[in-house]
Amino acid sequence: MSGNGFTARKALLVLAGFWAVGVVLLVGASFGSVGVERLRDAPACPADQVFTPAYCRITVDATVTALTSDQITMDVGGRRVAPEVYLHGTLPDRVAGLPVRVTIYRGAAVHVQGGTLNFDTADAPADHVDELRAAGLFFLIGGAVLVGVNALVRTRRRADLR
């Protein structure tokens, strides 16, 4: 039952490896969503804890001073806040002076909304949940497809040799 050194046992080991990686990624995605739930359920921050790592969140008014595809700079109550962002596409031409609402969670700006802007920052806890879930499904399905295609090819070769 071997063809070119790739036996059924090796195929099952490959399949098990793909499935193990897929399960780990799916479990990681479920833990990633826990961060989103914690953000959503966090109590409101008292004024003296807004920029501390205390487990709280608050949405405050701010003014955008600069925006690039990898960083936004804002004035939040007289304090300069410049979180990292991952923006794609065309950025608005005039953002300096734009009033926005900024959600701050555990001392970091996690969401910006106002005017044509509406995005999460790199500090947002939900940053890679969807990607982990998609990668996990890819490994689960891809492993089965890879091993199945290999089995079909080996079966076809054996039939041609007869």
Side-chain angles (χ1 to χ4, degrees), residues 13-157:
L13 287 173
V14 168
L15 180 61
F18 268 81
W19 282 6
V21 170
V23 168
V24 167
L25 290 169
L26 289 174
V27 169
S30 69
F31 280 112
S33 64
V34 169
V36 175
E37 291 172 17
R38 286 183 180 163
L39 167 64
R40 192 177 324 125
D41 296 338
C45 291
D48 62 337
Q49 292 184 349
V50 172
F51 292 104
T52 67
Y55 176 68
C56 63
R57 74 177 165 95
I58 191 166
T59 301
V60 296
D61 293 324
T63 304
V64 177
T65 57
L67 176 65
T68 64
S69 60
D70 59 357
Q71 187 174 48
I72 184 168
T73 306
M74 301 170 287
D75 177 19
V76 181
R79 174 179 250 173
R80 180 183 176 273
V81 177
E84 186 177 353
V85 297
Y86 304 112
L87 302 178
H88 305 283
T90 306
L91 297 176
D93 291 333
R94 310 199 94 214
V95 293
L98 179 69
V100 293
R101 301 275 295 159
V102 179
T103 301
I104 298 174
Y105 172 64
R106 302 191 73 183
V110 295
H111 187 78
V112 178
Q113 184 173 357
T116 59
L117 303 179
N118 186 9
F119 57 87
D120 288 336
T121 70
D123 293 325
D127 203 33
H128 300 290
V129 171
D130 292 336
E131 291 89 345
L132 286 173
R133 191 172 293 126
L137 290 173
F138 170 80
F139 274 91
L140 289 175
I141 296 167
V145 169
L146 178 69
V147 170
V149 167
N150 180 268
L152 287 174
V153 168
R154 286 188 299 118
T155 303
R156 182 78 138 176
R157 283 185 189 155

